[in-house]
Amino acid sequence: MIGGLFIYNHKGEVLISRVYRDDIGNRRNAVDAFRVNVIHARQQVRSPVTNIARTSFFHVKRSNIWLAAVTKQNVNAAMVFEFLYKMCDVMAAYFGKISEENIKNNFVLIYELLDEILDFGYPQNSETGALKTFITQQGIKSQHQTKEEQSQITSQVTGQIGWRREGIKYRRNELFLDVLESVNLLMSPQGQVLSAHVSGRVVMKSYLSGMPECKFGMNDKIVIEKQGKGTADETGKSGKQSIAIDDCTFHQCVRLSKFDSERSISFIPPDGEFELMRYRTTKDIILPFRVIPLVREVGRTKLEVKVVIKSNFKPSLLAQKIEVRIPTPLNTSGVQVICMKGKAKYKASENAIVWKIKRMAGMKESQISAEIELLPTNDKKKWARPPISMNFEVPFAPSGLKVRYLKVFEPKLNYSDHDVIKWVRYIGRSGIYETRC
Amino acid sequence: MPYLGSEDIVKELKKALCNPHIQADRPRYRNVIQRVIRHMTQGVDVSSVFMDMVKASATVDIVQKKLVYLYMCTYAPLKPDLALLAINTLCKDCSDPNPMVRGLALRSMCSLRMPGVQEYIQQPILNGLRDKASYVRRVAVLGCAKMYNLHGDSEVDGTLVNELYSLLRDQDPIVVVNCLRALEEILKHEGGVVINKPIAHHLLNRMPDLDHWGQAEVLGFLLRYQPRSEEELFAILNLLDSSLQSSSPAVVMAATKLFLVLAKEFPHVQTDVLVRVKGPLLTACSSESRELCFAALCHVRRILRSLPGHFSSHYKKFFCSYSEPHYIKLQKVEVLCELVNDENVQQVLDELRDYCTDVSADLAQAAIFAIGGIARTYTDQCVQILTELLVLRQEHITSAVVQTFRNLVWLCPQCTEAVCQALPGCEENIQDSEGKQALIWLLGVHGEIIPNAPYVLEDFVENVKAETFPAVKMELLTALLRLFLSRPAECQDMLGRLLYYCLEEEKDMAVRDRGLFYYRLLLTGIDEVKRILCSPKSDPSLGLLEDQAERPVNSWVSEFNTLVPMYSKACWAAISSSQVSEPHGPEPSGNGVLSASGSLVLENKEELQPLCDSGSFLLVPNGQLTAEQFEKTWLSLEVAHQEVLPWQGVAHPDTIQTALQVVNIQAIALSKAGVQPWKAYFSAQDGAGCLFLTELLLDPEPSQVHLSVKQSQAKAEALNSFISVLKTVIGTIVGIKS
């Protein structure tokens, strides 16, 4: 259980402080202890859990905001961190980016949220949708609250399905499905893949009336390690079209028993946006870009760098927001860059050449070459050559995941699967995409 | 800064709150209240506007109500009398037709942490428990826990407990979980909430309805339940199978723990479970949420200690990425070191070698120590890598490599020669105490096969005056004396100089004492010196023995998914122990067991150290009990320790009383001298408030004394320390008499 929750800005000033239990002692002491020992600490953060005077401080950083949960008990660490993430998600759902300005402007709302989400340090209701009933940003007057709203509060949690309330109506039944993937790569200088994985999410925005029953299908060759049940026989049949998922988890609304027996994903979706599924793959990943670095040291004061990037996907698709970051030594005095495409700039403050390309089609190649002048130093230490990192966005799923169908059934209301407008979108982004040089 | 001029701010706020124009204008009024809260958050003491805030609570505006209640909960302990004024409004809100208002008022009322509030909240809580809105019931259930927490000493109300147990059948899932939480707190002293068969099965059936938090906590409560039969056990495991696939890492972890604990008797089931959670753990380890990733890595390390090959095929998942935070990299290095096998050792070592030259000295050293750990199995490859690192002539790298060498030579004597060849030249690149100690130790123990060992040590002897670390000087003394035994001609002169310096000029008492000890030892003759100093130079069995206790899965299941794997075990022991005397900071557990440099040198150190009584155990003087209190406590406790000690002659109450007084053990009652049987009672208290009650019973016939000790809190460590203190004193008294 959580004894208190504090939010600080980067200077260590308290923006929000909420104490739930007395056992964490004097509020000021706890607040200050974290500031002094972690935010103002000189060395790097050693651990996301810090113990100060027998009190554990769990922290999470979002841009330059620190969120800290404080407890005196021997708690379940994964749960506290998950709670902090959830808190961030809920706040983001209410006012967007978590920044100092937003927190200051919404501090009343945050106190309201903290009041509902935690009671006596125990997590209560934290679903954004369900919370909306309790949070009264506009200050609804108590007498004027309609009968309907009141009954909602009562019925919301008494109903069979905790994540969806009854009687939702839309004029247009719409569904948005986003497959969001982040592809991570660690490549050796010789072009050998050291490790690569995709972590993906299927996010759904549903605007459907009533209590619809949805069925979702994808091209899986699921290798969830089920005890004893072999899946080898199907691999040959589905061939290249299917993908192997290492591990996947679903939103609470998915009936896992059905998934285990029939491998079908069926659920009654919450209203609005939610994360249907989260998965990870490591096999047969389409690496959208290949980085080929070439570094040559010419004498002691000059360095020649040539980097080629190759796009490896269908020529008809376009990658966007491409950024290649080529680190330079600390004693760089000047840089000359020539690139065929996009813009490249040497950023002395970041010790890197940043090369940006707005758009790039598949199966293309582009190259940058740079001459780096170095100041002579008597430092014996060799430059440790940090890896070249990349950012990009591509309109397909690097894991190869495809949505095969998404069907909607609503037995009580008279709309069928054909009446629902469905949108599917694939976005692949770079996670940590590094090539050593 | 918010602290400056806070008086003006408070004055201004007070004025604004009192202003009738503002009070009439709702948005403006709320705005002022917001400002009060803002200042409260920043740490300004705004308690003096309490009265005006209480007035502001009588409003129909819910947001304003919430803010005012927040304010009251913060300052109620400071202004209990004024807070009572607010109770009236709160009570009225508790019967509001709107369930949200009822819940809010009840929650706030229970959170007013002030004495005397109990009598006002009891009735609203009882009403709340039977409210038709689940929202109010949730609040009321936790309110019971809060009420009990306010008055921890009060008797547990049986009817309330029964009511809460019956609410476990509530249809709202959060009410159910809150009931468990509340019962756990209320029944803390009786071992928490009781999970019997019907409750356990009821909870298992409700699992799918609960949210993540609820599931994770219920899984924790189910740990208490012991299934009656094997069939029931496996039925439970089957029911909970889906929890292992939950999307919430917290639920997965809690489920894993429950499986491991329930399957205590079935090692193969435990292994199966650990195989099943491999996927989720690896996902967490490569997730973008750094902190969860850290927690997962800590648990992976724990699992690896029992099942070393468990993650070996996934070793690439634990390669560090450049942009990862420091703490994750350090954990990954530790993991890599534990999962090597014949197939991946080359790749892992190549990867670790890259980290050795990392910009962060911490990571570089951790990687070197990790290679040292791997070297226990794959000695030749690792020694070669480490030797190559010495060429870089970096201070932190050389120091870590030499420390690794020292540990390695002790465990794997076959690499001694290779290590000794690599050593020359290292002394120029070592500045820190640990590194110097390691180098000096190696030179001393294996000096006979390092040609220039005496000359390197001579440099240290020359500069001994400028040496800042006493530990290095001590190490130097020992090493030089050892080397003197094997190469007397080259060392005699400088040994003389060093001893002279230690005896005549050294300020540090420990160093001086050791110098003096060696000096006297040398006077007794060279054979005696050899007998004491020529201890074995290696002990390969140590590597096999260490950590054996941690091996079986059952040894750590109870700590799985708590904070223990997050801090190291030693740190946790320091944190959770109730002894206030020594605050330990979290220490990096970099170089394994041999990190304390002295632990390798197996010489008779005890002779040098003054008899230290009992480490950090401290008895506090104010443990004075009255005879009545003593008697009551004595009767209520079990005997924790009994022992018979030798004794001579009659007892002198005064001597014993005075002697024990010195170590803060108070006499409660003593028989007069010469009375048969002679009895005495003593009490003492340690820093953590644990009471030790002692009875001495003198038996004249075989002339011995019976000792029985009772302890108010069961703490074996403290008990042992106390008994050793007691025995020392009694031994001393007997000694004086004879």
Side-chain angles (χ1 to χ4, degrees), chain A residues 278-295:
Chain A
R278 199 177 262 249
Y279 57 92
R280 182 173 61 97
T281 71
T282 48
K283 289 195 194 77
D284 303 324
I285 293 169
I286 308 159
L287 294 171
F289 284 97
R290 227 185 160 86
V291 179
I292 304 154
L294 231 127
V295 182

Side-chain angles (χ1 to χ4, degrees), chain A residues 1 14-22 27-28 35 44-51 54 56 58-61 73-79 81-83 85-86 104 107-108 111-112 115-116 119-120 122-126 133-143 145 150 153-154 157-158 182 184 186 193-197 199 224-225 227 247-252 256 260 280 282 380-381 384 386-387 432 434 436, chain B residues 3 26 30 34 37-38 41-43 60-63 66-67 70 74 97-101 104 107 113 132-135 138-139 142 145-146 149 171-174 178 181 185 208-211 213 215-217 241-242 245-250 253 275-276 279-280 282-283 286 288-292 294 316-317 319-323 326-327 330 351 354 357 362 394 561-564 566-567 572 574-575 577 579-580 588:
Chain A
M1 64 208 85
V14 194
L15 303 177
I16 299 285
S17 91
R18 181 80 167 82
V19 175
Y20 293 99
R21 299 179 74 95
D22 275 336
R27 170 194 295 250
R28 282 221 72 86
R35 183 203 350 263
Q44 282 168 297
V45 178
R46 286 212 78 103
S47 153
V49 192
T50 320
N51 194 290
R54 278 161 230 284
S56 294
F58 294 76
H59 76 260
V60 165
K61 229 183 140 186
Q73 256 96 10
N74 188 3
V75 292
N76 171 341
M79 190 161 109
F81 283 129
E82 234 187 297
F83 176 79
Y85 298 148
K86 185 81 211 179
K104 279 186 171 161
F107 92 105
V108 176
Y111 274 122
E112 274 192 80
D115 220 28
E116 295 297 338
D119 190 7
F120 206 38
Y122 294 109
Q124 304 286 309
N125 203 342
S126 58
T133 331
F134 300 106
I135 305 299
T136 51
Q137 242 174 318
Q138 294 80 26
I140 301 164
K141 292 167 207 154
S142 62
Q143 309 112 317
Q145 200 173 21
Q150 279 186 32
I153 297 171
T154 326
V157 276
T158 49
S182 98
N184 297 276
L186 193 61
V193 177
L194 289 176
S195 95
H197 74 266
S199 56
I224 288 186
E225 289 156 17
Q227 64 282 24
D247 178 41
C248 68
T249 57
F250 296 101
H251 188 267
Q252 208 187 357
L256 283 173
D260 279 349
R280 182 173 61 97
T282 48
K380 277 184 287 177
K381 220 177 191 173
I432 294 172
E434 293 178 347
R436 294 185 180 164
Chain B
Y3 307 102
R26 199 166 283 145
R30 199 207 289 181
Q34 282 186 19
I37 305 286
R38 206 177 289 246
T41 305
Q42 286 167 350
V60 286
D61 181 347
I62 290 194
V63 175
K66 282 187 181 176
L67 289 175
L70 175 71
T74 312
N98 184 343
M100 203 160 92
V101 177
L104 175 66
R107 183 166 55 217
R113 283 165 278 221
K132 66 178 191 300
S134 58
Y135 181 70
R138 292 175 189 172
V139 171
L142 279 186
K146 290 180 196 168
N149 221 24
Q171 46 170 297
D172 179 61
I174 297 182
N178 279 355
R181 293 160 170 164
E185 298 217 3
D209 308 341
L210 306 178
D211 57 359
W213 322 116
Q215 287 182 354
E217 275 188 71
D241 204 60
S242 63
Q245 291 173 359
S246 166
S247 64
S248 148
M253 297 284 245
V275 170
R276 296 248 342 242
L282 283 172
T283 306
S286 48
E288 277 142 61
S289 334
R290 312 288 197 206
E291 295 78 14
L292 261 181
F294 176 80
K316 283 185 176 174
K317 294 276 162 322
F319 283 1
C320 300
S321 216
Y322 185 72
S323 45
H326 197 58
Y327 51 81
L330 288 179
E351 186 70 18
D354 281 353
T357 48
D362 263 355
Q394 294 285 316
N561 200 25
T562 64
L563 282 176
V564 184
M566 309 284 290
Y567 305 117
W572 177 255
I575 291 160
S577 77
Q579 290 170 17
V580 199

Side-chain angles (χ1 to χ4, degrees), chain B residues 88-101:
Chain B
N88 207 2
T89 326
L90 284 165
C91 281
K92 213 177 80 203
D93 282 352
C94 280
S95 45
D96 195 277
N98 184 343
M100 203 160 92
V101 177

Side-chain angles (χ1 to χ4, degrees), chain B residues 460-473:
Chain B
F460 280 107
V461 174
E462 303 273 276
N463 300 323
V464 73
K465 270 185 208 174
E467 180 59 59
T468 43
F469 308 107
V472 174
K473 294 180 193 170

